[in-house]
């Protein structure tokens, strides 16, 4: 049972430390909307999303007001459209994306995820049509996000898909060049994507999920930082074991708050509650940064030697505390390090303290991967594919989720500032590693899955 002191500390988190529920995401299966007639498909999609999402935003606000805990984002995830729209052409895929965008706006949510495909072992005609439609689909819509899973620990890495995604990301950047290539900020390339992610841009509702479900994503990097600061002020002789315990207990409280909110929203809507995602997700706001936690634990900034070790401890402690607080944990669950969305990480990248190579090393111990990284617009498609391949390899070999959300901004060079607005934040263009991978990427094929019986 929580003590009076812990109840008071939770109230302080609400008032002074940016504690909130980052997202309540309504998952809606669209498999029963499939049709080879586009108009029939569109009518079914509009009707079904409207039926279940009509009261989502109002209900989240009511529950948030009741507990005094804001639900920052209300979102929708749908079935992978590469499957639902398997018979459509690329032009029809663009129209399908517009239908989803309209439905999301009508519901009042800020993002809808699921315009994606699962191609880790091979690519169907529908998957290819969806990927071919992405440059136009993501540049003419506002709310729709896409995720493409190109690798898994069981299937290996589909290098044909990796090569295609490098070219696709370049094309998306060109189509949205007038807005700092913002279309790329709505696309994530995954290895081992979970089926119940509530966070964007990777959210989608997988094949084994219910007809409709409420998933919740908790956050709270500012809360964790303040808890560490208080612990160090009260006793400067604390060890890393003590700090891990502080993080674990804080994660427990944050997750319990999220599960209460998510469960009540689900009950009021008459829907099942799915999972709580235990991720520490930052915002561009000062005081709500994952990067600042590194400074509280004694590093000059994120990116300094020791950063990978600190991140591993942070990630593990968050999972341990959160898992005890929730009966159903899912999604990504860990610490996010999106460069542009975290003021401290963006500052470290701008100063050169944090490099692409160090970011990649850190992604081996956290969720999710290279996230919201802006690179020079002249970066070649094969270099982007090679960066994706490296990150997919980390996920495949270590049996974990990894992802790449990279943004080659046309006309921009290393050091230039790019701004995506709102939660997506702003960052300086980072340098990519030297060398070329043209011949490697053009080989294509599939990197075999690793053997699991000789782990070392």
């Amino acid at each position: 049972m929580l003590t009076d002191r812990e109840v008071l500390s939770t109230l302080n988190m609400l008032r002074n430390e940016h504690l909130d529920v980052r997202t309540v995401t309504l998952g809606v299966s669209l498999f029963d909307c499939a049709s080879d007639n586009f108009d029939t498909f569109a009518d079914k999609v509009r009707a079904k999303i409207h039926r279940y999402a009509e009261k989502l935003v109002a209900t989240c606000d009511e529950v948030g007001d009741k507990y005094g805990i804001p639900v920052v984002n209300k979102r929708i995830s749908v079935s992978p459209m590469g499957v639902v729209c398997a018979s459509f052409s690329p032009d029809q895929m663009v129209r399908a994306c517009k239908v989803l965008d309209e439905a999301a706006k009508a519901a009042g949510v800020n993002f809808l995820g699921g315009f994606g495909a699962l191609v880790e072992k091979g690519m169907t005609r529908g998957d290819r049509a969806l990927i071919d439609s992405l440059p136009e689909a993501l540049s003419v819509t506002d709310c729709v996000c896409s995720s493409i899973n190109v690798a898994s620990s069981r299937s290996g890495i589909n290098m044909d898909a990796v090569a295609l995604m490098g070219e696709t990301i370049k094309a998306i950047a060109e189509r949205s060049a007038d807005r700092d290539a913002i279309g790329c900020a709505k696309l994530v390339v995954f290895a081992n994507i979970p089926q119940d992610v509530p966070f964007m841009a990777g959210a989608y509702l997988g094949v084994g999920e219910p007809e409709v479900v409420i998933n919740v994503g908790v956050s709270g990097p500012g809360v964790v930082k303040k808890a560490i600061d208080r612990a160090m002020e009260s006793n400067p002789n604390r060890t890393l074991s003590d700090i891990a315990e502080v993080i674990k207990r804080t994660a427990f409280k944050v997750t319990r708050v999220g599960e209460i909110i998510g469960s009540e929203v689900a009950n009021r809507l008459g829907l099942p509650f799915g999972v709580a995602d235990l991720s520490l997700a930052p915002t561009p706001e000062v005081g709500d940064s994952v990067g600042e936690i590194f400074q509280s634990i004694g590093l000059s900034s994120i990116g300094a030697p020791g950063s990978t070790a600190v991140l591993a401890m942070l990630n593990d402690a968050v999972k341990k505390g959160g898992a005890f607080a929730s009966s159903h944990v899912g999604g990504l669950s860990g610490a996010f390090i999106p460069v542009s969305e975290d003021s401290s990480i963006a500052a470290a990248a701008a100063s050169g303290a944090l490099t692409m190579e160090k970011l990649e090393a850190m992604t081996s111990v956290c969720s999710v991967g290279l996230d919201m990284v802006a690179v020079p617009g002249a970066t070649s498609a094969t270099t982007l594919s090679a960066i994706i391949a490296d990150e997919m390899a980390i996920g495949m070999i270590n049996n974990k989720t990894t992802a790449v959300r990279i943004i080659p901004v046309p006309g921009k060079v290393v050091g230039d500032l790019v701004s995506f607005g709102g939660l997506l934040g702003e960052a300086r263009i980072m340098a990519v590693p030297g060398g070329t991978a043209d011949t490697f990427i053009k080989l294509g094929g599939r990197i075999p899955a690793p053997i699991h019986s000789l782990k070392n």
Side-chain angles (χ1 to χ4, degrees):
M1 179 178 290
L2 294 177
T3 64
D4 291 347
R5 183 186 294 274
E6 287 173 315
V7 171
L8 290 173
S9 74
T10 304
L11 290 173
N12 191 49
M13 292 177 186
L14 293 170
R15 292 171 179 164
N16 305 317
E17 299 171 5
H18 304 284
L19 177 60
D20 53 43
V21 173
R22 184 56 50 84
T23 182
V24 169
T25 301
L26 170 71
V28 183
S29 172
L30 297 184
F31 288 121
D32 59 343
C33 300
S35 172
D36 58 1
N37 182 293
F38 185 85
D39 292 335
T40 301
F41 160 80
D43 289 343
K44 286 184 174 181
V45 168
R46 291 191 190 98
K48 187 164 186 179
I49 292 178
H50 175 73
R51 182 163 70 250
Y52 288 110
E54 181 182 15
K55 298 179 180 178
L56 174 66
V57 173
T59 302
C60 289
D61 291 341
E62 290 169 6
V63 174
D65 290 343
K66 174 183 174 182
Y67 291 100
I69 303 169
V71 178
V72 178
N73 300 300
K74 300 88 175 177
R75 295 166 172 176
I76 297 171
S77 63
V78 299
S79 312
M81 300 304 284
V83 180
V84 177
C85 304
S87 63
F88 288 175
S89 67
D91 288 342
Q92 288 174 312
M93 287 288 187
V94 174
R95 292 171 62 193
C97 191
K98 291 179 178 176
V99 170
L100 294 175
D101 197 51
E102 293 164 4
K105 290 175 179 174
V109 299
N110 53 356
F111 281 120
L112 181 150
F115 191 72
L118 310 172
V119 299
E120 62 271 19
K121 203 169 184 179
M123 197 177 301
T124 67
R125 192 172 61 181
D127 296 330
R128 179 61 194 245
L130 184 138
I131 294 174
D132 288 344
S133 76
L134 286 176
E136 181 173 357
L138 295 184
S139 61
V140 299
T141 57
D142 299 312
C143 302
V144 177
C145 294
S146 177
S147 57
I148 308 295
N149 194 71
V150 301
S152 74
S153 296
R154 286 192 170 273
S155 302
I157 304 174
N158 183 346
M159 289 299 295
D160 293 326
V162 169
L164 179 59
M165 291 315 300
E167 297 169 0
T168 302
I169 290 171
K170 285 286 287 185
I172 295 170
E174 292 296 334
R175 289 296 299 266
S176 53
D178 58 331
R179 291 172 289 163
D180 281 342
I182 195 169
C184 298
K186 297 185 288 180
L187 169 66
V188 191
V189 183
F190 269 99
N192 294 321
I193 186 173
Q195 301 194 38
D196 51 9
V197 182
F199 285 105
M200 297 295 169
Y204 84 107
L205 191 68
V207 175
E209 295 292 304
E211 179 78 8
V212 188
V213 67
I214 292 289
N215 294 323
V216 62
V218 301
S219 184
V223 173
V224 171
K225 178 188 182 306
K226 292 287 187 181
I228 295 171
D229 290 344
R230 279 195 299 272
M232 295 301 291
E233 287 172 8
S234 65
N235 180 4
N237 296 320
R238 288 183 187 272
T239 67
L240 287 171
S241 297
D242 299 328
I243 294 174
E245 181 67 17
V246 168
I247 297 169
K248 193 170 68 175
R249 293 176 70 86
T250 305
F252 170 84
K253 287 182 276 189
V254 170
T255 304
R256 185 68 93 188
V257 166
E259 178 151 307
I260 289 171
I261 297 292
S263 296
E264 179 145 352
V265 169
N267 288 335
R268 291 192 182 198
L269 291 173
L271 303 176
F273 177 73
V275 299
D277 186 316
L278 313 179
S279 294
L280 283 186
T283 68
E285 190 173 347
V286 175
D288 199 24
S289 161
V290 170
E292 291 176 1
I293 296 173
F294 288 68
Q295 295 166 329
S296 293
I297 302 180
L299 299 182
S300 57
S301 75
I302 186 171
S307 295
T308 307
V310 168
L311 187 56
M313 182 189 77
L314 175 64
N315 210 46
D316 181 68
V318 167
K319 290 182 180 184
K320 286 175 177 172
F324 185 56
S326 175
S327 300
H328 300 286
V329 173
L332 298 168
S333 292
F336 290 2
I337 48 172
V339 176
S340 72
E341 296 177 8
D342 186 307
S343 58
S344 180
I345 298 177
S351 69
L354 178 62
T355 63
M356 184 81 82
E357 292 86 345
K358 187 61 177 176
L359 264 178
E360 182 181 303
M362 293 169 66
T363 61
S364 65
V365 298
C366 80
S367 299
V368 178
L370 295 174
D371 197 11
M372 291 302 288
V373 179
V375 297
T379 307
S380 70
T382 51
T383 296
L384 294 174
S385 294
I387 292 171
I388 293 170
D390 285 342
E391 197 62 39
M392 299 301 102
I394 291 173
M396 177 184 72
I397 294 294
N398 294 292
N399 201 26
K400 70 184 291 292
T401 301
T402 54
V404 174
R405 187 161 48 153
I406 194 165
I407 308 164
V409 185
K412 296 294 177 69
V413 298
V414 174
D416 285 351
L417 181 67
V418 291
S419 179
F420 305 109
L423 188 63
L424 299 176
E426 62 181 29
R428 299 281 175 183
I429 299 287
M430 295 183 73
V432 300
T436 62
D438 298 4
T439 304
F440 166 65
I441 294 300
K442 288 175 182 174
L443 290 175
R446 187 150 56 99
I447 294 179
I451 188 167
H452 294 283
S453 61
L454 298 177
K455 284 244 176 192
N456 197 348

